[in-house]
Amino acid sequence: MWPIGLCSVVALGIIIERSCSLSRSQVLPAGVLQAAQDAPISDARAALGKSELARVLAQVLEAAPEGEAAMRERIAEALDAATLRLERSLNWLASIASVTPLLGLLGTVLGMIDVFAQLMVRQGSDPTPLAGGISEALITTAAGLSVAIPCLLCVGHFDRRVVRLSHDIESAARALLRQRRAAGA
């Protein structure tokens, strides 16, 4: 049960951290696109802030003197890096969702081995303790599933959120590219 308990604490920490870090206000703060459209290229990083959207737009602006092709390439590179940062820790959460049922099953098997060993020692005695021992052994499986199911649901939720946020970042970067193209024309 201790490993399952530890996994639940780690999972809860990851879920809380990702819930905060993947909020729209953290990743796509209001006004960053407008600031990027108005910002001079020389101080784009300082003017835009530290959000994922700001990082991507700053890289696009830094590539502006090299031309539109460089800006398009920079969008792809910056978006890939931003998506990796947004997905941070989700593999750990998925691993916890995978391993905790197995830990629970291991606990159940070890408990069953203990119950049958005790039954063999008592040869022919009342099998009632067997039912209680089996019930106790199954608690670890239930605990493992109780941790894994919410983790699995959260992984799916966060994956969908990362996809939406990445799409919105890309849309903003393309809007900046169109604005720079129109300004240069």
Side-chain angles (χ1 to χ4, degrees), residues 3-183:
I4 295 171
L6 179 63
C7 286
S8 70
V9 170
V10 170
L12 183 61
I14 292 170
I15 290 168
I16 291 170
E17 187 273 332
R18 290 286 83 196
S19 293
C20 295
S21 295
L22 294 177
S23 69
R24 287 188 76 75
S25 62
Q26 290 290 327
V27 179
L28 303 163
V32 173
L33 179 58
Q34 185 61 44
Q37 290 171 337
D38 298 339
I41 293 170
S42 60
D43 67 344
R45 279 201 194 273
L48 299 180
K50 297 187 185 253
S51 68
E52 288 302 329
L53 176 60
R55 287 178 182 168
V56 171
L57 296 181
Q59 288 190 23
V60 172
L61 286 174
E62 289 170 0
E66 300 169 30
E68 186 177 333
M71 290 174 72
R72 286 184 185 280
E73 185 177 316
R74 193 68 66 92
I75 288 173
E77 292 171 2
L79 189 61
D80 286 345
T83 301
L84 284 175
R85 285 189 298 272
L86 292 173
E87 290 175 337
R88 188 184 78 237
S89 302
L90 293 184
N91 59 342
W92 283 99
L93 196 57
S95 295
I96 290 171
S98 298
V99 79
T100 51
L102 296 174
L103 289 171
L105 187 58
L106 177 63
T108 297
V109 168
L110 293 174
M112 296 292 283
I113 290 170
D114 185 49
V115 166
F116 284 119
Q118 289 178 18
L119 187 63
M120 285 181 57
V121 170
R122 295 182 186 175
Q123 290 184 359
S125 66
D126 184 25
T128 307
L130 178 65
I134 291 172
S135 174
E136 188 177 318
L138 289 172
I139 290 172
T140 57
T141 297
L145 290 172
S146 296
V147 172
I149 292 169
C151 287
L152 195 55
L153 292 172
C154 287
V155 166
H157 170 72
F158 290 139
D159 279 342
R160 287 186 302 278
R161 189 180 286 183
V162 166
V163 167
R164 283 193 307 268
L165 291 170
S166 294
H167 179 267
D168 291 347
I169 291 171
E170 182 178 16
S171 295
R174 294 199 184 285
L176 178 62
L177 178 67
R178 285 191 301 274
Q179 185 267 341
R180 288 292 172 162
R181 184 183 328 134

